[in-house]
Amino acid sequence: MTPATLPTRLWNRNFILWLVGTAQSALGTTLAGLALSFLVLHQTGSAGQMGVTLALGLLPALLSPLAGTLVDRIPLRLPLVAGNLVRLAIQLGVGLTVLHGEVNLPLLNILAFLNGLIGVIYGPASMSVLPGLVPGDQLARASGLLSSAGQGAALLGLVGGGVLVGAVGSAPSLIMDGVSYGVMALLVLFVRLPERPQPANRPSFLADLLGGLRYVRSSLLLSLLPVIALFINASLAPMEMLLPRRMNELGVGAAGYGLFFAVMTAGMLASSVSVAVLNDRIRPRAMSAAGLGGIALSLLLLALSQQAWQMWVLALCTGVSVGLTNTGVGVLFATLIQPEFRGRVASLLGMLGSIGQPLTLLALAPLADRISIQWLFGIAGMVTLTGAFVWAMAVRERQSSPQATG
């Protein structure tokens, strides 16, 4: 959509359909993520094996720049519909197989990698949608609402998912996730997606790829953000890998694990709702810097926690901080990046942000059953604190310039 054809109000049909689809898909994805973690843990008894499976799902992020360049060259509807349909088939297949017995671990690893590969293409396409669905002056509110809907659904999935997995196993959650992908594919067919300007003489694929890299290098904030995201994702990776074991040690199991991420998601939801209410009164650069600092402090305090209730309290603080950071970055992405570069920029940020997780998971896998979780949280907190300081300095420099906004 061009500026002249942008919607004149926030609550229009396209945004509502996208909001509903995102929320129900987030519910299914949360249920499936929790189910997969405990499925692998149940079959192998090893946190290290679970880390390998999680890492394989993240490794395709290395291909993100290629995927983002492709997304900028094709209609958005194609990767959005096709990605949901393929994931529908995968999750239904795994869920139905689990109903009839154990799934071969190498097969689960292959499917995790395939799911990650689909996400590499789907992610940049999805990030390119929102700026064309709402008026420009409502982007902060729309971003907050979208985050709130997704996090609210994820919260429901975490609260109910731990109970569901504990009571009936992983299969129902995996099947529900598959159905949610099918619903999303259907809803996308009825959303009027934004049009993106295409040059009359389309450059080669390689020229487009290099053009995206040059575009990112043209901005200090865009250049630093992927580096900061890499270290943050690396520091948060041990949570998913080691918390199931830690919750079992504390006697709260899958329900306690689900509650941890439910409380964390509740914190993210609270911060997203606040952004939606404040809208143009927020300052996304300052908010993202404060959020990073909050993540670092929460991780350092988690290193000192000895009881489940302490970890749940800090999960709330972590969630609030993550929500502030993610929403601030989302608003910056929607307002600063030109439409024709969104796929490439989103994919580059996603690649460098995501690669920290699989590298950390693979490195820790041989030691995951022996290293103290307190030490891991402490190291993660210090790494994140360093990243927060660097980002805060970059934000301060940009805000002091006469043309800076936000």
Side-chain angles (χ1 to χ4, degrees), residues 70-105:
L70 176 64
V71 167
D72 279 338
R73 296 169 68 94
I74 62 176
L76 285 176
R77 200 176 307 275
L78 178 59
L80 293 175
V81 174
N84 278 301
L85 290 178
V86 174
R87 289 193 286 193
L88 160 66
I90 291 174
Q91 296 301 86
L92 283 182
V94 175
L96 293 174
T97 302
V98 173
L99 282 177
H100 296 88
E102 290 191 353
V103 182
N104 183 273
L105 182 59

Side-chain angles (χ1 to χ4, degrees), residues 286-311:
M287 184 171 67
S288 61
L292 290 179
I295 295 172
L297 179 60
S298 297
L299 289 171
L300 290 171
L301 292 175
L302 276 170
L304 303 176
S305 63
Q306 297 294 326
Q307 299 180 21
W309 70 265
Q310 296 172 338
M311 301 183 77

Side-chain angles (χ1 to χ4, degrees), residues 130-148:
L130 181 61
L133 299 184
V134 298
D137 61 353
Q138 293 294 317
L139 273 173
R141 178 162 291 151
S143 180
L145 288 169
L146 201 62
S147 297
S148 300

Side-chain angles (χ1 to χ4, degrees), residues 189-211:
L189 293 175
F190 295 93
V191 175
R192 184 185 177 192
L193 298 174
E195 300 173 2
R196 295 172 298 174
Q198 298 290 344
N201 297 316
R202 184 86 231 187
S204 67
F205 189 91
L206 179 59
D208 267 351
L209 175 62
L210 296 177

Side-chain angles (χ1 to χ4, degrees), residues 218-372:
S218 68
S219 165
L220 176 62
L221 291 182
L222 287 179
S223 297
L224 278 178
L225 184 57
V227 179
I228 300 303
L230 185 150
F231 284 104
I232 292 171
N233 279 275
S235 66
L236 292 177
M239 274 192 187
E240 290 188 55
M241 186 176 185
L242 297 177
L243 276 181
R245 189 192 75 188
R246 181 60 172 162
M247 292 301 175
N248 282 338
E249 291 172 351
L250 295 174
V252 291
Y257 176 83
L259 181 58
F260 180 92
F261 284 101
V263 173
M264 182 173 170
T265 305
M268 296 170 65
L269 176 60
S271 60
S272 298
V273 170
S274 300
V275 171
V277 171
L278 294 173
N279 193 32
D280 56 357
R281 286 173 286 177
I282 70 165
R283 299 176 62 84
R285 292 185 177 90
M287 184 171 67
S288 61
L292 290 179
I295 295 172
L297 179 60
S298 297
L299 289 171
L300 290 171
L301 292 175
L302 276 170
L304 303 176
S305 63
Q306 297 294 326
Q307 299 180 21
W309 70 265
Q310 296 172 338
M311 301 183 77
W312 293 329
V313 170
L314 291 171
L316 179 65
C317 301
T318 305
V320 170
S321 301
V322 170
L324 291 175
T325 305
N326 288 344
T327 306
V329 169
V331 174
L332 289 175
F333 179 90
T335 55
L336 296 181
I337 300 172
Q338 298 174 16
E340 62 269 29
F341 286 100
R342 284 177 184 147
R344 280 165 285 177
V345 175
S347 64
L348 184 61
L349 299 183
M351 181 193 75
L352 294 179
S354 299
I355 195 61
Q357 283 196 350
L359 289 179
T360 304
L361 291 170
L362 290 173
L364 291 178
L367 305 172
D369 299 308
R370 299 191 294 271
I371 293 180
S372 166

